[in-house]
Amino acid sequence: MVSLDTIKAQFPIFKQVTPHGKRLVYLDNAATCHKPQSVIDRITKFYAQDYGTVGRASYWPAYNTTKQFDQVRHQVKELINAQHAEEIVFTFGTTDGINKLANAYLSPRLEAGDEVIVSEMEHHANILAWQRVCNEKGASIKVIPMKDTGNLDYEAYEALLNDKVRLVAITGISNALGVKNDLKAIVNRAKAKQIPVFIDAAQSLSHDPIDVTDLGCDFLAFSGHKLYGPTGVGALYGKKALLEAMPPMSLGGGIVKEVGFKNSSFQDSPTKHEGGTPNIAGVIGLGAAIDFINEVGYDQIGAHTHDLTNYALEKLSQIEGVQIVGEVTDRASVLSFVMEGVHAHDLSTLLNEKGICIRAGHHCAQPLMKRMKQPATARVSFAIYNTKEDVDVLVAALKEIKTFMS
Ligand code: PMP
């Protein structure tokens, strides 16, 4: 096991003080997390020594680049235990993956009267693209409600599954409350009725391993930047036969067999889905991020962030006037809270002056916030480089703010 100090030392961002002259306490990892030196170095080396395009040219930098690019596809395949590297399509992130799936998979299959199931706790990214296609086709979105606790209502989910449902699109972990959904139960129930399932793994893969083969989901999307990797890159997993059957998700260069002005023919998947020059440096950096995760290991990442979350829950709930939002049964390393008499946005601004970065607002999950009857919450989320000291600094700062405001 690598020591936590050694791990934190790999993140150069923490070597500097904040503009307010404070030690950086970064607690907004559910939004995006910082990059270890290995990711930064891999990208720098790529631009400095290997840079070329992928898949198209026969000179050496392009050849090297294509080789590295394909290796990362294999790394992603291994990370999520897909059956084939061809089941991995590089995207620009989770949002991009969902939009592509909505247009290329859902839209051609959807008819008036059909239904798509999402949950009340979804990030807007896992609502809006499906919603547009449903509205265009006269289909409707059905919503799995949350319980008062913030947990998903599995009985209500079961009741929504019928033969009009064309897709279940569900998040693995709520980015606003930290609820971990029972993906196995969700997929099994849909599969019993032959309904395809899409998993929004934007939050999941930074906490827990996901095995798509064991899970049996049809599609899954994630973003590199929440996984210690670069922004602007992610992957969409899809079962091989489904990806093959789909029209190209993004039309452009690099994907064709033959182009005519009336009709064109395309390469096999995943090439046919990756039109245009991809975020090559992003993909290379994602490879380094996956190496980092494999070196540290999900066991250590999960155990450490779980301990920190429990520690934070205990300490925060001891502060007078602080209320944790949701009684989450199975929680990832995300928690939302409110403080009596202080708006979440003010909290975040005041904490920033003390070097502490937390998130405030609706967390791109407005339906969830309405359900929890909160216009805004303050959100804290942990990554492998956070420490108990970070929590202590936050707690001390919150107590100070509480005293100052009252
Ligand atoms: N789904 C969830 C659950 C998320 O937390 C996020 C990012 N906050 C997204 C989707 C969208 O991810 P991205 O902005 O990287 O596309």
Side-chain angles (χ1 to χ4, degrees):
M1 198 153 87
V2 195
S3 92
L4 290 168
D5 287 345
T6 311
I7 294 171
K8 184 157 186 172
Q10 294 176 36
F11 288 81
I13 189 91
F14 298 110
K15 297 195 171 115
Q16 61 187 334
V17 291
T18 71
H20 295 92
K22 307 284 182 197
R23 180 174 82 82
L24 173 64
V25 175
Y26 184 80
L27 298 171
D28 194 18
N29 296 288
T32 196
C33 58
H34 286 288
K35 319 303 166 201
Q37 191 64 50
S38 56
V39 168
I40 299 166
D41 287 348
R42 186 86 59 94
I43 295 168
T44 308
K45 178 181 175 296
F46 167 66
Y47 276 125
Q49 296 174 16
D50 298 321
Y51 184 74
T53 191
V54 280
R56 285 152 230 209
S58 48
Y59 46 81
W60 71 263
Y63 175 74
N64 276 357
T65 302
T66 304
K67 208 165 129 199
Q68 289 182 57
F69 193 84
D70 288 341
Q71 267 164 7
V72 181
R73 201 185 301 279
H74 280 272
Q75 283 184 279
V76 175
K77 172 209 168 244
E78 295 290 316
L79 181 77
I80 60 171
N81 196 31
Q83 295 283 292
H84 312 277
E86 294 77 22
E87 295 181 318
I88 310 301
V89 178
F90 286 119
T91 63
F92 299 112
T94 309
T95 305
D96 184 45
I98 296 173
N99 276 276
K100 284 179 167 155
L101 214 48
N103 294 329
Y105 174 76
L106 187 64
S107 182
R109 282 169 179 73
L110 211 59
E111 289 177 5
D114 285 346
E115 296 176 356
V116 170
I117 295 180
V118 300
S119 87
E120 206 171 12
M121 68 174 74
E122 297 311 314
H123 186 281
H124 299 161
N126 201 25
I127 300 174
L128 297 174
W130 312 123
Q131 182 182 72
R132 182 162 78 186
V133 174
C134 283
N135 289 346
E136 281 167 1
K137 299 277 175 161
S140 52
I141 297 272
K142 299 287 167 184
V143 183
I144 315 168
M146 290 161 67
K147 296 187 168 178
D148 292 344
T149 53
N151 297 307
L152 201 67
D153 186 337
Y154 289 88
E155 280 172 25
Y157 168 55
E158 184 95 55
L160 287 176
L161 295 168
N162 64 58
D163 59 10
K164 288 184 283 181
V165 180
R166 296 288 161 261
L167 184 74
V168 172
I170 184 93
T171 189
I173 291 173
S174 151
N175 67 306
L177 297 187
V179 181
K180 264 195 211 184
N181 289 326
D182 183 348
L183 292 179
K184 191 82 181 154
I186 291 167
V187 174
N188 285 350
R189 287 177 202 182
K191 289 282 132 184
K193 304 212 161 149
Q194 282 85 47
I195 299 169
V197 181
F198 163 76
I199 306 289
D200 173 350
Q203 294 294 331
S204 309
L205 274 172
S206 36
H207 298 273
D208 301 310
I210 286 198
D211 180 331
V212 289
T213 302
D214 177 58
L215 199 55
C217 61
D218 300 273
F219 300 105
L220 175 144
F222 71 89
S223 306
H225 69 98
K226 293 183 200 269
L227 217 58
Y228 308 102
T231 51
V233 69
L236 175 67
Y237 158 81
K239 280 188 178 154
K240 200 166 181 233
L242 292 171
L243 289 181
E244 281 300 350
M246 281 160 62
M249 293 183 203
S250 179
L251 293 156
I255 67 169
V256 300
K257 281 185 183 148
E258 203 172 333
V259 173
F261 284 107
K262 178 92 175 120
N263 280 308
S264 299
S265 59
F266 301 99
Q267 301 276 343
D268 292 338
S269 177
T271 308
K272 74 166 173 182
H273 293 305
E274 294 175 352
T277 306
N279 180 356
I280 307 171
V283 169
I284 304 290
L286 177 63
I290 295 174
D291 283 342
F292 171 79
I293 287 191
N294 290 336
E295 274 157 31
V296 178
Y298 272 115
D299 284 351
Q300 193 176 357
I301 295 172
H304 176 61
T305 54
H306 187 254
D307 281 356
L308 280 181
T309 310
N310 284 342
Y311 183 68
L313 282 169
E314 188 196 322
K315 293 282 171 187
L316 287 173
S317 48
Q318 286 166 3
I319 306 173
E320 215 194 306
V322 165
Q323 186 208 330
I324 307 290
V325 179
E327 290 160 46
V328 175
T329 316
D330 193 6
R331 184 192 288 278
S333 56
V334 179
L335 62 93
S336 255
F337 66 95
V338 286
M339 186 186 256
E340 205 179 7
V342 192
H343 193 280
H345 284 297
D346 294 335
L347 258 187
S348 156
T349 306
L350 292 166
L351 287 171
N352 176 49
E353 286 168 16
K354 297 172 188 296
I356 306 165
C357 309
I358 66 153
R359 192 58 171 276
H362 56 59
H363 316 295
C364 297
Q366 284 183 2
L368 172 146
M369 301 297 284
K370 279 184 199 140
R371 175 68 179 87
M372 301 312 285
K373 300 188 177 65
Q374 298 290 350
T377 67
R379 182 186 71 182
V380 169
S381 49
F382 298 103
I384 189 68
Y385 41 68
N386 289 120
T387 60
K388 282 195 170 165
E389 199 192 342
D390 290 343
V391 178
D392 293 339
V393 171
L394 169 74
V395 169
L398 288 173
K399 284 181 178 164
E400 245 181 71
I401 292 170
K402 179 81 193 143
T403 313
F404 173 72
M405 298 299 260
S406 50

